[in-house]
Amino acid sequence: MPDIMLLLTCLSQSLDSTNRRRFVCVVEGLLSMTGRVTMLGLSRWTERGGSYRTLQRFFNSTLSWGQLHWLLILQHLLGDETEWLLAGDEVVVTKSGKQTHGLDRFFSSVFGKTVPGLCFLSLSLISVQRRCSYPLRLEPIIKEAAETCPKAPKVAKDTDQDKGKDKGKGKGKGKGKGKGPGRPKGSTNRNRREVSLSPYLQFVQGVLRQVLALVSQALTVRYFVFDGAFGHNQALQMVRRTGLELMSKLRHNSALHLPYDGPYSGRGRRRKYGIRLDYHQLPAAFLKATSVEGHIHTAIYQMNAWHKTFPDLLNVVVIVKTNQRTGAKAHVVLFSSDLDLGYEKLIDYYHLRFQIEFNFRDAKQHWGLEDFMVVKETPVYNSANLALFMTTLSQVLIRPFRERCPAFSVNDLKALFRGRKYVLETLKSLPQMPEPIIIEQIIAQTSQLGRINQDLRAT
């Protein structure tokens, strides 16, 4: 049976003795409890020293969760892996009422609409070899901050009277005062590498830099993976300023152009943009791989292409799927700022980003990300980060059991600790405690009652 106190000794660098003792008590309660994960429900499953008032003090404490996440990963999960990715995504937690800090309406892909709740930005380390995601930071997104982003001024529509006044102006070479062809007088070229970042991108950049400063001494991270929300130049420049390369997804109808390789006209600057890509008739020269699964034909294309809103070439991978029965086609456009990255790795790394969704699933299903009922800023922040911390700790606890039972799950882990809880509480009523080896045998047998997979006994 794993010793939680021993596993969490590594957190002593960031927690004082009081909060560390409370933390261990909370973790043991979470591992054995059933029902909704609230402070009241948790206090019913904790040992002595885990009263409801003590839990209130713990959740109102200021904790350095970024360092706690990293210390656990550094001590128990870093192995011989050489390839690491940094990935990000947002998670929406539904909430009712009006008093919870950060409460607003956010779009939830689960419900397919905006819902009242909280939104968090999560950054995770992904091991390419183990194909697992380990959360590093979880920060709340305040919608008011995003709304402070400067917007383009609205252009007033011309009325018929205005059109009559301007009639005859601006014709010819545009020398009049009216609207004429060409660029406005006095306008200058814009450097698309020196873009101004929105408050949201500044927030993400700040979190990214804090994470990189935390992990840079132990491992090297080169790529940052995000979903299609970062498929624009401002996000690319933001990520590059942190020293990382971006992998994301473009819109399905993005206007991409091949580099121009025709003859020079003899005057002016050389042409930059060649033919525009037609996603239904991609050049065969860029075809990298094909496969057929059932009646679905998949073709993968890779090329370096220009997008007129990006200052540099993009490494683009287009995945085209064709239904051979109906002829229907669909495609996805992935891109990276690293021009030397092969298509296999680009696709594989983007697929690995979905491991974050499994962290969110476990945090909501088992560790109370959807259940906490606190409303103030510090308890909300602590409750959400505790749920993500438990997803990492559960991977630490599950790993030795997977050697004997590859299908060992979080439900099996909780059944093991719940059986231990029942046995220890029952043995307290005996006049004399049995030998430790007998206690372990009873715990192993009792934990079979709530199992999902076979053979839960520890090695």
Side-chain angles (χ1 to χ4, degrees):
M1 175 66 68
D3 188 342
I4 302 301
M5 177 67 79
L6 186 61
L7 281 175
L8 298 183
T9 304
C10 59
L11 305 184
S12 58
Q13 302 178 37
S14 182
L15 292 176
D16 56 39
S17 58
T18 301
N19 275 331
R20 188 169 68 252
R21 185 174 61 253
R22 293 171 180 171
F23 198 93
V24 171
C25 189
V26 168
V27 168
E28 290 179 343
L30 283 170
L31 287 168
S32 58
M33 72 177 296
T34 60
R36 295 188 64 192
V37 182
T38 61
M39 277 198 291
L40 183 59
L42 187 57
S43 65
R44 294 168 179 157
W45 287 84
T46 51
E47 298 286 344
R48 185 177 180 180
S51 66
Y52 182 70
R53 188 69 186 96
T54 301
L55 294 184
Q56 283 183 319
R57 294 190 186 100
F58 173 77
F59 281 99
N60 279 278
S61 303
T62 301
L63 305 176
S64 178
W65 281 104
Q67 192 171 6
L68 293 177
H69 287 298
W70 172 239
L71 288 173
L72 182 67
I73 296 171
L74 182 64
Q75 182 68 27
H76 299 290
L77 294 172
L78 285 189
D80 299 330
E81 294 91 342
T82 57
E83 288 186 271
W84 292 90
L85 305 175
L86 191 59
D89 202 359
E90 296 176 5
V91 57
V92 175
V93 179
T94 56
K95 290 293 172 188
S96 58
K98 299 180 180 179
Q99 302 300 322
T100 307
H101 178 79
L103 183 68
D104 213 310
R105 296 189 68 87
F106 298 93
F107 178 80
S108 171
S109 58
V110 176
F111 296 95
K113 60 180 181 180
T114 57
V115 295
L118 308 176
C119 186
F120 296 91
L121 172 70
S122 175
L123 296 186
S124 298
L125 272 177
I126 297 180
S127 171
V128 177
Q129 282 81 7
R130 288 189 176 271
R131 312 190 74 78
C132 292
S133 170
Y134 310 128
L136 268 177
R137 290 293 295 268
L138 186 73
E139 296 295 331
I141 298 174
I142 307 300
K143 202 168 186 179
E144 287 79 0
E147 292 176 351
T148 61
C149 179
K151 298 179 181 180
K154 294 182 179 180
V155 180
K157 295 181 180 179
D158 293 334
T159 62
D160 294 339
Q161 187 176 358
D162 295 334
K163 290 179 181 179
K165 290 180 181 179
D166 295 337
K167 190 175 183 180
K169 296 182 180 180
K171 293 184 177 180
K173 297 183 179 180
K175 295 182 180 180
K177 296 181 180 180
K179 296 179 180 179
R183 294 171 58 172
K185 185 177 180 180
S187 64
T188 58
N189 292 336
R190 296 179 181 177
N191 190 340
R192 285 174 289 177
R193 294 185 182 88
E194 298 178 0
V195 295
S196 58
L197 303 180
S198 67
Y200 174 72
L201 289 179
Q202 292 176 16
F203 161 71
V204 177
Q205 187 183 52
V207 179
L208 259 177
R209 285 176 171 166
Q210 292 173 12
V211 168
L212 290 174
L214 197 63
V215 306
S216 58
Q217 295 182 355
L219 50 86
T220 302
V221 180
R222 185 179 179 187
Y223 298 105
F224 178 65
V225 190
F226 211 89
D227 60 14
F230 273 24
H232 52 86
N233 182 47
Q234 287 77 9
L236 175 61
Q237 301 308 318
M238 180 274 292
V239 173
R240 277 196 156 178
R241 290 174 190 176
T242 64
L244 299 176
E245 300 286 353
L246 176 65
M247 277 186 284
S248 186
K249 183 172 70 171
L250 292 171
R251 289 177 58 90
H252 70 282
N253 58 351
S254 296
L256 296 175
H257 298 262
L258 294 175
Y260 179 73
D261 58 356
Y264 177 52
S265 62
R267 63 175 184 174
R269 75 175 213 172
R270 296 181 179 274
R271 284 186 61 180
K272 180 177 181 180
Y273 303 107
I275 61 172
R276 177 173 173 175
L277 284 181
D278 182 0
Y279 295 111
H280 297 288
Q281 295 180 350
L282 292 170
F286 300 117
L287 181 64
K288 298 298 181 181
T290 60
S291 61
V292 178
E293 185 175 349
H295 58 276
I296 302 298
H297 178 271
T298 303
I300 300 175
Y301 299 82
Q302 184 179 31
M303 71 287 291
N304 292 338
W306 291 105
H307 192 290
K308 290 189 176 181
T309 62
F310 290 80
D312 302 303
L313 276 169
L314 299 177
N315 182 1
V316 178
V317 172
V318 184
I319 305 173
V320 182
K321 290 185 178 289
T322 305
N323 189 320
Q324 295 179 332
R325 294 178 181 174
T326 64
K329 289 187 176 183
H331 66 273
V332 174
V333 184
L334 307 179
F335 80 95
S336 173
S337 55
D338 182 8
L339 300 182
D340 297 326
L341 187 65
Y343 73 94
E344 292 178 332
K345 284 191 173 182
L346 200 158
I347 296 173
D348 185 46
Y349 290 171
Y350 193 79
H351 282 174
L352 284 174
R353 188 197 67 84
F354 198 79
Q355 294 296 319
I356 301 181
E357 302 294 342
F358 297 137
N359 295 147
F360 296 156
R361 177 202 63 190
D362 290 345
K364 290 182 177 182
Q365 182 176 345
H366 301 290
W367 311 119
L369 186 58
E370 281 277 2
D371 297 339
F372 64 85
M373 299 178 68
V374 292
V375 296
K376 294 184 179 180
E377 180 178 2
T378 301
V380 166
Y381 183 72
N382 288 339
S383 300
N385 272 278
L386 176 63
L388 265 292
F389 181 89
M390 290 302 299
T391 63
T392 307
L393 181 61
S394 63
Q395 294 188 59
V396 175
L397 295 171
I398 286 173
R399 183 175 291 185
F401 293 97
R402 288 265 173 93
E403 296 177 0
R404 290 189 59 180
C405 181
F408 194 89
S409 66
V410 178
N411 282 320
D412 300 323
L413 181 68
K414 298 192 74 171
L416 180 66
F417 277 87
R418 193 178 307 117
R420 173 179 177 269
K421 176 76 172 177
Y422 289 151
V423 170
L424 294 180
E425 290 298 321
T426 303
L427 292 177
K428 289 179 182 179
S429 61
L430 297 179
Q432 184 177 359
M433 292 290 287
E435 295 294 329
I437 189 171
I438 297 178
I439 295 177
E440 290 297 326
Q441 292 174 357
I442 298 173
I443 291 174
Q445 186 64 33
T446 306
S447 62
Q448 301 291 316
L449 297 175
R451 75 188 191 280
I452 301 297
N453 299 292
Q454 299 294 325
D455 193 6
L456 299 184
R457 285 173 289 183
T459 57

